[in-house]
Amino acid sequence: MAYDVQMMKTEALKEYENNPRINKESVEKVIMSIKEVGWKVPIIVDEENVILAGHTRIKAARLLEMEEVPVHIAKGLTEAQKTAYRIMDNKSQDSSEWDTEMLSEEFAKLAEA
């Protein structure tokens, strides 16, 4: 399966107007991550450049005054599939749990660094 990623102008990307996710507090964390390790996950858009996944990343990119970002265009999705994908992308972590022992070990590694 081909997975194309291309660079697109940040100004060409449109935020989904009905995005229910409140992500104001996360933007600064994403900015710090981009500065520390670079851009690793593309923004996902539909054929009209409306964001399906990546609203926090685009806000961070715009605050960083980035002119272009990596984007994957998800082609051929129905409106229902787009809605389902937006919800899944934002809600899937709600079904996850943390292994607190392993998490503590990871934080310890960071403290040593």
Side-chain angles (χ1 to χ4, degrees), residues 70-85:
V71 173
H72 170 71
I73 301 172
K75 298 178 182 175
L77 298 179
T78 66
E79 289 304 313
Q81 288 172 321
K82 291 176 190 181
T83 299
Y85 185 78

Side-chain angles (χ1 to χ4, degrees), residues 20-36:
R21 187 74 183 247
I22 300 169
N23 58 9
K24 188 176 182 179
E25 299 297 320
S26 300
V27 175
E28 277 301 317
K29 292 176 183 171
V30 172
I31 287 172
M32 290 174 25
S33 176
I34 292 169
K35 286 180 177 180
E36 182 71 24

Side-chain angles (χ1 to χ4, degrees), residues 14-16 19 23 51-59:
K14 304 169 200 161
E15 293 185 42
Y16 177 57
N19 181 25
N23 58 9
I51 297 172
L52 301 176
H55 286 85
T56 306
R57 291 187 297 275
I58 193 62
K59 287 176 183 177

